Amino acid sequence: HPSQIPGMEDTKTNGTPKYESTGTAKSLQGSTVSFHNIHYKVTQRSGCLCIKRKTTTKDILIDLNGLMKPGLNAIMGATGSGKSSFLDVLAARKDPAGLAGEVLIDGAPQPPNFKCLSGYVVQDDVVMGTLTVRENFRFSAALRLPSSVSQKEKEDKVNRLITELGLTKVADSRVSVDGFMWGGCGGEDRESVLGIVVLFLDEPTTGLDASTANSVLLLLKRMSSHGRTIILSIHQPRYSIFRLFDSLTLLVSGKQVYHGPAQSALDYFSNIGYTCEPHNNPADFFLDVINGDSTSIAFDRIKEADDSDPDRVTSSRQNIEDHLVQEYRGSQYYGETKAQIKIVNGTTTPSRTITYNTSFSTQFRWVLKRTFTNLILNPQTSFAQIGVTVFLALIVGAIFFGVKNDQSGLQNRMGALFFITTNQCFSSLSSAELFITERKLFIHEYISGYYRVSVYFLCKILSDIITLRTLPSIVFSCVAYFMIGYKATVEAFFLFMLTVALVAYTATAMTMAISADQSVVAIANIFMTIAFVFMMIFSGLLVNLPSIVEWLAWFQYLSIPRYGLTALQINEFVGLQFCGDIPLNGTLPPGMTCTGEDFLKNQGIDYTTWGLWQNHVALAIMTVIFLLIAYFKLRFIKKFT
């Protein structure tokens, strides 16, 4: 729901909460989710070579029909039966390609951004682990509740929700991160997630012990009893959990074998010849029947076959699946479902397109605040970056300490500048994990309507540029510049610092552009390392750029170190003398360069003021281009989630 907080009042329809007046109070009337002729298939490709690649189509969901009314609606089935895919289809989180049929909310088509209206809990906890339970709730309330709700009302709703979920004792404790616990336990983390999203749940008991899983389902049952529509997939619940379900949908190989009241399922299976033994867990019994392992009739049929023949066993199980599907389609429950679907179709109302509940500025403020809070509470990366920067600055400063104005000084200056630009490029590799480590969190929050892609992108860029690029560049420049002994003028120093920062920005932008659509940091690092090594060759030190053949010379314009090194060379070498007193005969030894301008001219560098600034402009343009690539890659990722 848009509010995600129990007690949120609204008067909208088509997927949004509805309320009926009961005296002075209002009771929540949940939405009815109906699905009609759902068929979902995926295309699989096999083979290594293009000429030998085969394309096959696999049916994941086949002809599903039914309704999920206010209450606790469970989807069960064996592993690979299509439970999670079915849940994703109902929540509008599947790629439309390969999907047929429709899902209606209160008889109306799902609005285009229905994902922003519904809550969804994935199997893995996706909350900011460095924040407390209360801070995660506040973030959710600030972005999911309409701007018409005052800050005081939002805070009251957060406090009321914490009390309702029984999280008062751990409200100010951090959520677990990467398996480490920061106050509270794993079960409490899962409950804190449930407080943020309450509609669709993909196996919410995964990873929980039996007692905690029971507590979570009791919480869901309490929420559904207040009129909420809760739909969850679950694998094999114990009986104390199963008896809480209001409706049950059983899937086998993507097909329905039962859809109706949960407490009537045992009688239905008994009527078609599958009787549950006394003291057997109904959930276990249903899975046994589906898998052909029931100790009733299905088991007897299996035992009659030759167990040593896998094909006969598989064929027998397939026959059982087909039998279950046919029995269901001939049952009263199937007929009642069809009749109810017709009634729902007859009450179709116009769909409504719902926008974000908060403005761009509100989203930007809250996401930026959380991003910097996370950096403050998890400062290892920032401190490590600055620490490594200081160490490298001291090393390069000591190696090239006090360069002189002679031929050795010319070589040492060039070597130091090359090291500095190369170091800035490779230091940017740390930004590869910027979008990778929080990918699940970003996708979950974006499709739940927390914020726009542009908001998340800008906040991550600002936090990385300020803390991991700008500050280290300033520190490095202050340490290395004066130890090496570059030109002692204010203008030259600040131009040096600006160039170092620009190289860092451009290299970081390229790193983000490469890693934005990657899911493994190591793979992204390989691509970026290859790119930077290739750029080093065309930076201007390892090879004389004017001497490169024409058909390869254009690669220099793609080299980030080249622009940085050229700008630093112009800043440093213009106006320097390297020969001291010129010999009386006025001739110089072969290969000797006396002025910085002569050296730059030999390198084919335009050392005018425009020559300096055009390198800065080139770096700025490349930064913008790479950032745009990274941004559109993020939009592509979310589009098919």
Side-chain angles (χ1 to χ4, degrees):
H1 291 290
S3 65
Q4 300 299 310
I5 305 292
M8 176 60 200
E9 299 178 2
D10 202 346
T11 57
K12 300 175 183 177
T13 58
N14 188 26
T16 56
K18 300 174 293 183
Y19 294 82
E20 292 183 355
S21 177
T22 56
T24 57
K26 293 184 178 180
S27 59
L28 176 65
Q29 299 297 313
S31 300
T32 296
V33 180
S34 60
F35 46 99
H36 310 252
N37 304 316
I38 298 298
H39 196 111
Y40 180 64
K41 59 184 178 182
V42 296
T43 301
Q44 299 175 326
R45 293 179 174 85
S46 59
C48 299
L49 299 177
C50 295
I51 58 175
K52 293 185 178 182
R53 289 181 69 87
K54 296 181 179 179
T55 301
T56 58
T57 300
K58 180 180 180 181
D59 293 320
I60 306 299
L61 302 174
I62 303 172
D63 193 24
L64 304 185
N65 295 271
L67 298 94
M68 302 289 192
K69 297 180 179 180
L72 199 55
N73 304 272
I75 303 170
M76 287 180 53
T79 301
S81 61
K83 300 188 302 295
S84 296
S85 296
F86 182 36
L87 193 73
D88 289 341
V89 169
L90 295 179
R93 299 192 177 213
K94 274 296 182 189
D95 183 359
L99 178 62
E102 61 178 348
V103 178
L104 303 180
I105 310 299
D106 290 329
Q110 290 175 318
N113 62 342
F114 173 70
K115 295 178 292 185
C116 298
L117 302 175
S118 60
Y120 193 101
V121 178
V122 296
Q123 293 187 37
D124 299 323
D125 298 335
V126 281
V127 292
M128 185 64 73
T130 53
L131 303 184
T132 65
V133 174
R134 189 185 305 277
E135 288 170 338
N136 276 295
F137 280 171
R138 284 173 178 166
F139 182 81
S140 177
L143 298 183
R144 297 299 302 271
L145 293 176
S147 55
S148 58
V149 180
S150 67
Q151 186 60 41
K152 183 179 183 304
E153 289 177 311
K154 292 178 181 178
E155 188 67 24
D156 290 340
K157 293 178 187 298
V158 168
N159 293 333
R160 185 165 64 250
L161 179 59
I162 289 175
T163 302
E164 179 181 343
L165 299 181
L167 296 172
T168 305
K169 293 183 179 180
V170 295
D172 297 309
S173 300
R174 296 190 202 177
V175 182
S176 64
V177 184
D178 298 330
F180 295 95
M181 304 303 170
W182 298 79
C185 65
E188 289 161 340
D189 300 339
R190 177 61 55 88
E191 290 182 7
S192 69
V193 177
L194 295 179
I196 298 176
V197 285
V198 295
L199 187 55
F200 296 100
L201 304 102
D202 187 10
E203 301 197 21
T205 59
T206 299
L208 303 182
D209 60 81
S211 177
T212 306
N214 191 63
S215 299
V216 170
L217 265 296
L218 285 172
L219 167 64
L220 292 175
K221 181 64 176 180
R222 187 164 64 250
M223 290 182 174
S224 67
S225 65
H226 289 88
R228 296 186 178 277
T229 304
I230 297 179
I231 305 173
L232 71 152
S233 65
I234 195 165
H235 182 61
Q236 204 164 358
R238 66 181 192 178
Y239 176 68
S240 62
I241 291 177
F242 175 82
R243 66 179 183 175
L244 299 176
F245 300 153
D246 295 306
S247 78
L248 177 66
T249 302
L250 289 175
L251 299 180
V252 52
S253 300
K255 294 172 283 190
Q256 283 175 304
V257 295
Y258 181 78
H259 176 71
Q263 306 312 316
S264 302
L266 285 176
D267 293 337
Y268 165 77
F269 276 91
S270 178
N271 292 334
I272 64 173
Y274 300 91
T275 303
C276 181
E277 294 180 325
H279 310 297
N280 190 8
N281 179 13
D284 296 335
F285 167 73
F286 295 142
L287 292 182
D288 288 343
V289 172
I290 290 172
N291 292 325
D293 297 328
S294 173
T295 54
S296 57
I297 298 175
F299 179 79
D300 294 335
R301 292 175 181 172
I302 294 292
K303 294 303 292 182
E304 291 175 0
D306 183 4
D307 289 342
S308 63
D309 188 348
D311 292 336
R312 294 188 61 183
V313 173
T314 302
S315 176
S316 179
R317 292 187 177 181
Q318 183 63 47
N319 291 335
I320 292 174
E321 291 181 5
D322 295 338
H323 172 70
L324 292 173
V325 172
Q326 293 302 321
E327 286 288 349
Y328 168 68
R329 293 190 175 181
S331 68
Q332 65 171 1
Y333 297 108
Y334 184 78
E336 292 174 355
T337 298
K338 283 290 190 180
Q340 291 176 341
I341 288 177
K342 290 182 180 179
I343 296 175
V344 170
N345 280 333
T347 59
T348 300
T349 57
S351 63
R352 304 176 68 242
T353 300
I354 310 298
T355 57
Y356 293 98
N357 285 328
T358 53
S359 64
F360 180 93
S361 59
T362 300
Q363 295 173 10
F364 183 79
R365 183 174 71 253
W366 277 93
V367 177
L368 188 65
K369 176 183 177 182
R370 186 182 69 170
T371 303
F372 277 99
T373 300
N374 183 48
L375 285 173
I376 294 173
L377 296 176
N378 190 24
Q380 294 90 335
T381 302
S382 302
F383 288 164
Q385 186 83 0
I386 294 178
V388 170
T389 298
V390 172
F391 175 76
L392 290 177
L394 291 173
I395 292 297
V396 70
I399 294 175
F400 300 99
F401 184 80
V403 291
K404 300 177 181 179
N405 291 340
D406 54 18
Q407 295 301 304
S408 65
L410 189 152
Q411 180 182 359
N412 289 340
R413 281 181 171 85
M414 190 64 185
L417 294 178
F418 175 78
F419 176 85
I420 290 170
T421 53
T422 304
N423 173 65
Q424 290 301 106
C425 289
F426 282 98
S427 295
S428 68
L429 293 178
S430 61
S431 62
E433 61 180 18
L434 191 64
F435 298 120
I436 296 178
T437 55
E438 291 185 7
R439 182 178 301 277
K440 288 184 178 180
L441 179 67
F442 159 67
I443 292 175
H444 171 72
E445 291 182 339
Y446 170 77
I447 61 180
S448 297
Y450 282 75
Y451 44 70
R452 299 164 174 83
V453 176
S454 56
V455 168
Y456 178 80
F457 183 76
L458 288 175
C459 291
K460 297 300 291 184
I461 294 299
L462 286 177
S463 64
D464 185 82
I465 285 179
I466 294 176
T467 59
L468 300 180
R469 311 303 154 200
T470 304
L471 292 178
S473 296
I474 293 174
V475 171
F476 186 91
S477 299
C478 292
V479 175
Y481 190 88
F482 298 104
M483 288 186 66
I484 296 174
Y486 288 136
K487 290 196 317 191
T489 64
V490 175
E491 179 184 6
F493 171 73
F494 281 104
L495 279 174
F496 176 90
M497 184 185 297
L498 174 64
T499 305
V500 170
L502 279 175
V503 172
Y505 296 160
T506 309
T508 299
M510 192 191 80
T511 301
M512 293 177 181
I514 293 176
S515 63
D517 60 346
Q518 298 294 320
S519 57
V520 180
V521 176
I523 299 300
N525 280 334
I526 291 174
F527 291 145
M528 291 178 295
T529 301
I530 293 174
F532 285 140
V533 169
F534 184 79
M535 289 180 179
M536 286 170 53
I537 299 175
F538 293 90
S539 63
L541 176 69
L542 303 180
V543 63
N544 184 268
L545 296 179
S547 66
I548 301 178
V549 293
E550 292 184 0
W551 64 277
L552 283 177
W554 65 273
F555 279 109
Q556 64 182 292
Y557 301 109
L558 303 178
S559 175
I560 296 174
R562 169 184 170 268
Y563 293 111
L565 181 60
T566 301
L568 291 176
Q569 286 177 284
I570 297 172
N571 182 57
E572 175 62 22
F573 284 106
V574 171
L576 290 184
Q577 294 285 340
F578 297 104
C579 293
D581 296 330
I582 299 177
L584 295 177
N585 58 10
T587 61
L588 297 175
M592 178 174 288
T593 302
C594 277
T595 66
E597 287 83 352
D598 291 338
F599 174 77
L600 296 175
K601 187 180 300 182
N602 292 336
Q603 297 292 320
I605 296 175
D606 178 9
Y607 53 84
T608 63
T609 302
W610 167 239
L612 171 65
W613 286 105
Q614 70 179 353
N615 289 283
H616 289 165
V617 171
L619 288 173
I621 293 174
M622 292 179 71
T623 301
V624 173
I625 293 174
F626 285 133
L627 289 179
L628 288 175
I629 294 174
Y631 172 74
F632 285 108
K633 278 189 173 183
L634 284 181
R635 291 194 64 87
F636 181 82
I637 290 174
K638 67 86 186 173
K639 184 177 180 180
F640 296 105
T641 302

mmCIF file of all heavy atoms in Angstrom, residues 168-186:
data_model
loop_
_atom_site.group_PDB
_atom_site.id
_atom_site.type_symbol
_atom_site.label_atom_id
_atom_site.label_comp_id
_atom_site.label_asym_id
_atom_site.label_seq_id
_atom_site.Cartn_x
_atom_site.Cartn_y
_atom_site.Cartn_z
ATOM 1 N N THR A 168 9.838 -2.461 20.334
ATOM 2 C CA THR A 168 10.211 -1.329 21.186
ATOM 3 C C THR A 168 11.616 -1.479 21.749
ATOM 4 O O THR A 168 12.395 -0.516 21.787
ATOM 5 C CB THR A 168 9.197 -1.186 22.332
ATOM 6 O OG1 THR A 168 7.883 -1.076 21.777
ATOM 7 C CG2 THR A 168 9.504 0.048 23.173
ATOM 8 N N LYS A 169 11.980 -2.689 22.162
ATOM 9 C CA LYS A 169 13.286 -2.902 22.797
ATOM 10 C C LYS A 169 14.445 -2.750 21.817
ATOM 11 O O LYS A 169 15.561 -2.407 22.225
ATOM 12 C CB LYS A 169 13.325 -4.294 23.437
ATOM 13 C CG LYS A 169 12.381 -4.449 24.631
ATOM 14 C CD LYS A 169 12.539 -5.832 25.251
ATOM 15 C CE LYS A 169 11.616 -5.991 26.463
ATOM 16 N NZ LYS A 169 11.758 -7.334 27.076
ATOM 17 N N VAL A 170 14.206 -3.034 20.547
ATOM 18 C CA VAL A 170 15.302 -2.976 19.568
ATOM 19 C C VAL A 170 15.096 -1.843 18.565
ATOM 20 O O VAL A 170 15.762 -1.813 17.529
ATOM 21 C CB VAL A 170 15.421 -4.322 18.807
ATOM 22 C CG1 VAL A 170 15.817 -5.435 19.738
ATOM 23 C CG2 VAL A 170 14.106 -4.650 18.105
ATOM 24 N N ALA A 171 14.192 -0.909 18.878
ATOM 25 C CA ALA A 171 13.869 0.156 17.927
ATOM 26 C C ALA A 171 15.081 1.012 17.589
ATOM 27 O O ALA A 171 15.194 1.529 16.479
ATOM 28 C CB ALA A 171 12.746 1.022 18.473
ATOM 29 N N ASP A 172 15.987 1.185 18.540
ATOM 30 C CA ASP A 172 17.156 2.038 18.325
ATOM 31 C C ASP A 172 18.433 1.227 18.144
ATOM 32 O O ASP A 172 19.542 1.741 18.341
ATOM 33 C CB ASP A 172 17.305 3.011 19.494
ATOM 34 C CG ASP A 172 16.116 3.961 19.599
ATOM 35 O OD1 ASP A 172 15.776 4.582 18.581
ATOM 36 O OD2 ASP A 172 15.525 4.064 20.687
ATOM 37 N N SER A 173 18.280 -0.031 17.769
ATOM 38 C CA SER A 173 19.425 -0.886 17.470
ATOM 39 C C SER A 173 19.578 -0.999 15.964
ATOM 40 O O SER A 173 18.591 -0.961 15.224
ATOM 41 C CB SER A 173 19.239 -2.283 18.080
ATOM 42 O OG SER A 173 19.102 -2.206 19.481
ATOM 43 N N ARG A 174 20.793 -1.156 15.531
ATOM 44 C CA ARG A 174 21.031 -1.277 14.100
ATOM 45 C C ARG A 174 20.582 -2.635 13.591
ATOM 46 O O ARG A 174 20.652 -3.640 14.297
ATOM 47 C CB ARG A 174 22.521 -1.097 13.778
ATOM 48 C CG ARG A 174 23.058 0.284 14.100
ATOM 49 C CD ARG A 174 24.442 0.423 13.516
ATOM 50 N NE ARG A 174 25.197 1.463 14.197
ATOM 51 C CZ ARG A 174 26.454 1.747 13.929
ATOM 52 N NH1 ARG A 174 27.094 1.074 12.997
ATOM 53 N NH2 ARG A 174 27.086 2.700 14.578
ATOM 54 N N VAL A 175 20.150 -2.637 12.323
ATOM 55 C CA VAL A 175 19.778 -3.882 11.670
ATOM 56 C C VAL A 175 21.052 -4.619 11.296
ATOM 57 O O VAL A 175 22.110 -4.029 11.123
ATOM 58 C CB VAL A 175 18.923 -3.580 10.421
ATOM 59 C CG1 VAL A 175 18.469 -4.863 9.752
ATOM 60 C CG2 VAL A 175 17.725 -2.733 10.815
ATOM 61 N N SER A 176 20.985 -5.935 11.148
ATOM 62 C CA SER A 176 22.174 -6.726 10.827
ATOM 63 C C SER A 176 22.694 -6.384 9.450
ATOM 64 O O SER A 176 21.952 -6.024 8.554
ATOM 65 C CB SER A 176 21.853 -8.219 10.900
ATOM 66 O OG SER A 176 20.895 -8.558 9.924
ATOM 67 N N VAL A 177 24.013 -6.513 9.289
ATOM 68 C CA VAL A 177 24.666 -6.233 8.008
ATOM 69 C C VAL A 177 25.577 -7.394 7.653
ATOM 70 O O VAL A 177 26.454 -7.755 8.413
ATOM 71 C CB VAL A 177 25.509 -4.940 8.083
ATOM 72 C CG1 VAL A 177 26.097 -4.626 6.716
ATOM 73 C CG2 VAL A 177 24.675 -3.797 8.588
ATOM 74 N N ASP A 178 25.335 -8.001 6.465
ATOM 75 C CA ASP A 178 26.199 -9.063 5.956
ATOM 76 C C ASP A 178 26.410 -10.175 6.971
ATOM 77 O O ASP A 178 27.508 -10.699 7.134
ATOM 78 C CB ASP A 178 27.569 -8.499 5.529
ATOM 79 C CG ASP A 178 27.423 -7.509 4.403
ATOM 80 O OD1 ASP A 178 26.481 -7.651 3.607
ATOM 81 O OD2 ASP A 178 28.265 -6.600 4.310
ATOM 82 N N GLY A 179 25.345 -10.508 7.695
ATOM 83 C CA GLY A 179 25.440 -11.620 8.618
ATOM 84 C C GLY A 179 25.883 -11.223 10.001
ATOM 85 O O GLY A 179 25.831 -12.017 10.927
ATOM 86 N N PHE A 180 26.358 -10.017 10.210
ATOM 87 C CA PHE A 180 26.750 -9.562 11.528
ATOM 88 C C PHE A 180 25.576 -8.850 12.183
ATOM 89 O O PHE A 180 24.846 -8.117 11.546
ATOM 90 C CB PHE A 180 27.953 -8.614 11.446
ATOM 91 C CG PHE A 180 29.191 -9.284 10.946
ATOM 92 C CD1 PHE A 180 29.519 -9.230 9.599
ATOM 93 C CD2 PHE A 180 30.015 -9.971 11.805
ATOM 94 C CE1 PHE A 180 30.662 -9.850 9.120
ATOM 95 C CE2 PHE A 180 31.160 -10.588 11.327
ATOM 96 C CZ PHE A 180 31.479 -10.535 9.991
ATOM 97 N N MET A 181 25.385 -9.087 13.456
ATOM 98 C CA MET A 181 24.229 -8.539 14.148
ATOM 99 C C MET A 181 24.613 -7.273 14.908
ATOM 100 O O MET A 181 25.601 -7.250 15.621
ATOM 101 C CB MET A 181 23.655 -9.578 15.123
ATOM 102 C CG MET A 181 23.297 -10.893 14.446
ATOM 103 S SD MET A 181 22.130 -10.665 13.097
ATOM 104 C CE MET A 181 22.153 -12.264 12.329
ATOM 105 N N TRP A 182 23.798 -6.269 14.712
ATOM 106 C CA TRP A 182 24.003 -4.998 15.406
ATOM 107 C C TRP A 182 22.818 -4.787 16.343
ATOM 108 O O TRP A 182 21.945 -3.987 16.093
ATOM 109 C CB TRP A 182 24.075 -3.849 14.421
ATOM 110 C CG TRP A 182 25.199 -3.965 13.469
ATOM 111 C CD1 TRP A 182 25.251 -4.745 12.364
ATOM 112 C CD2 TRP A 182 26.441 -3.280 13.521
ATOM 113 N NE1 TRP A 182 26.442 -4.589 11.723
ATOM 114 C CE2 TRP A 182 27.193 -3.688 12.404
ATOM 115 C CE3 TRP A 182 26.994 -2.348 14.406
ATOM 116 C CZ2 TRP A 182 28.458 -3.213 12.158
ATOM 117 C CZ3 TRP A 182 28.263 -1.868 14.131
ATOM 118 C CH2 TRP A 182 28.975 -2.306 13.039
ATOM 119 N N GLY A 183 22.777 -5.525 17.405
ATOM 120 C CA GLY A 183 21.660 -5.412 18.329
ATOM 121 C C GLY A 183 20.456 -6.118 17.751
ATOM 122 O O GLY A 183 20.129 -5.995 16.590
ATOM 123 N N GLY A 184 19.738 -6.876 18.522
ATOM 124 C CA GLY A 184 18.591 -7.604 17.997
ATOM 125 C C GLY A 184 19.065 -8.858 17.292
ATOM 126 O O GLY A 184 20.238 -9.192 17.264
ATOM 127 N N CYS A 185 18.133 -9.606 16.717
ATOM 128 C CA CYS A 185 18.465 -10.854 16.054
ATOM 129 C C CYS A 185 17.902 -10.856 14.650
ATOM 130 O O CYS A 185 17.198 -9.949 14.244
ATOM 131 C CB CYS A 185 17.907 -12.038 16.844
ATOM 132 S SG CYS A 185 16.106 -12.065 16.889
ATOM 133 N N GLY A 186 18.212 -11.924 13.899
ATOM 134 C CA GLY A 186 17.759 -12.004 12.519
ATOM 135 C C GLY A 186 16.255 -11.931 12.395
ATOM 136 O O GLY A 186 15.726 -11.344 11.476
#
